[in-house]
Amino acid sequence: MKLRYKIIIFLSFFLIFVFLLIGAAGAGTDIWEEINKFPGFSGILIKDLNTQEALFSHNEDKLFTPASLTKIFTLLAALEIFDEEQYVYPTSFYFSSTTPGEINGDLYIVGNGDPTQSPEVIKKIADDLVQKFGLRHISGDIVLDNSKLLSQEFLGRGWMWDDKNPLIGALTVMGYKVKEKQNSYLNTMPLLWGDIFSQELSKKGVKIEGNIRIGKVQEDLRIKYIYYSDTLDKMLAYMMKKSDNQSAENIFRTLALMDNSEGVSTIARSIASLEEVIDTTLGLKWGKDYILVDGCGLSEYNLTTPAHLVKAISYLYRKYDFKILDYFANTEEKGTLKERLPFQVWGKTGTLSSASALAGLLETKNKRWIVFCLMENNFIFIEEENDPKIFENRIIEYIYENL
């Protein structure tokens, strides 16, 4: 009897093993069928989140245009450089005043790249200034100091100048994008900020004698008021879940301000800050392993691999555990993944005219946590069957059901 039971137990385990093997092979076959049908260049890497065992791979070390998956590296750099729960962007106000309610001379406003200043926020800033100082009259100009970010770099490297791009600057109006083709938008953004601010002051009864202009704050003036943004963690969650290009690029541009004696950020300095973080955390070399020249992914110059993205997400998970999920869009909340799949996925989407991508984390039907990256370039989007998002969904569904 004992021998018989041993044989039965052995055969049971053997059959379970065979069925699992067949299921895994079936999942792989299905994925390969999707890859072979897809009319473009694709790359896939799927790993067990905890063991880092590779469960499926295809072109995982090939370079792709990552589109908005670039924001994962911006997230990584911001979390490494800033204290995300404490860091806030200051907007500083300088003026001289000897009479209550009066600004004698010019009002200087110094921006630091706050990406959250919508027209409603600018209105609140104006309201706060009027209430704090009983402001009634400005005898001089409203001078906008936009010098913390190089004003000539109002667009990113490799952005198509005639696309609908966000404008970037030390003083930014949230949500504002280029709406028509033209060669230069130099100072458009800070002047728009100043125009909204001036109108709000006027609505409050403040008389402004001068004009709105660009300039630098006088060194002999003292700060009279500072407006502080929300903390960076809220900005990063918005950036990732909404795939917001303007906030991502502004955060990228301010990476260099944390360790910069000149107090001016340039794209080159921002790239260097990002490069240092990626080298330190992931061991990847700019120009050899990857190229990233912006923070949002609009640039056609950006190149990275599925393996790099999986490595970045895995690093974030090791350091922050499941708290990192708070920064990713998911299928149950408002964002880029809302109701895209019938089960919970946390991820970052990417979309350009000839690039699509999806990377993130999910728990499979078998209670296994997976980290994944899917990237597609050079596809021909003619009909639904060629839609890269449908291709991605089908791959993710296979992962969920079979791994």
Side-chain angles (χ1 to χ4, degrees), residues 248-305:
E249 188 66 13
N250 259 58
I251 292 168
F252 166 72
R253 300 288 185 90
T254 56
L255 294 176
L257 289 177
M258 292 300 290
D259 185 22
N260 183 347
S261 59
E262 295 181 25
V264 178
S265 176
T266 65
I267 291 176
R269 286 171 175 165
S270 298
I271 292 171
S273 296
L274 183 67
E275 176 186 0
E276 183 177 353
V277 169
I278 292 175
D279 186 6
T280 301
T281 59
L282 307 180
L284 301 174
K285 304 296 182 182
W286 196 99
K288 178 184 177 183
D289 299 314
Y290 72 97
I291 295 173
L292 293 174
V293 299
D294 74 1
C296 63
L298 285 174
S299 180
E300 299 284 353
Y301 299 157
N302 293 335
L303 291 170
T304 188
T305 74

Side-chain angles (χ1 to χ4, degrees), residues 45 58 111 124 209 237 256 260 284 300 307 370 380:
L45 181 58
H58 169 63
K124 181 184 182 303
E209 299 286 350
N260 183 347
L284 301 174
E300 299 284 353
I370 299 294
I380 303 170

Side-chain angles (χ1 to χ4, degrees), residues 144-187:
L144 306 164
D145 189 335
N146 197 45
S147 61
K148 293 288 185 180
L149 274 63
L150 197 65
S151 58
Q152 299 94 311
E153 295 179 337
F154 50 84
L155 294 177
R157 287 190 186 177
W159 293 7
M160 308 313 297
W161 69 270
D162 57 350
D163 281 350
K164 287 188 176 180
N165 294 310
L167 295 184
I168 306 304
L171 287 164
T172 299
V173 180
M174 183 180 181
Y176 185 81
K177 296 180 182 178
V178 172
K179 295 181 179 178
E180 69 279 345
K181 296 180 180 180
Q182 84 181 47
N183 290 326
S184 177
Y185 285 87
L186 181 65
N187 291 331

Side-chain angles (χ1 to χ4, degrees), residues 1 44 50 72 74 99 122 126 146 221 253 257 297 312 318 344:
M1 291 293 290
I44 302 173
N50 294 303
I72 294 173
T74 304
T99 305
I122 298 171
N146 197 45
L221 290 178
R253 300 288 185 90
L257 289 177
R318 288 195 304 273
Q344 184 66 295

Side-chain angles (χ1 to χ4, degrees), residues 305-320:
T305 74
H308 296 162
L309 270 303
V310 166
K311 193 170 189 178
I313 297 170
S314 298
Y315 174 86
L316 290 169
Y317 168 70
R318 288 195 304 273
K319 184 163 184 178
Y320 299 98

Side-chain angles (χ1 to χ4, degrees), residues 83-99:
D83 181 341
E84 75 278 8
E85 294 182 349
Q86 297 294 327
Y87 185 77
V88 293
Y89 286 88
T91 302
S92 304
F93 294 76
Y94 298 74
F95 56 87
S96 62
S97 178
T98 56
T99 305

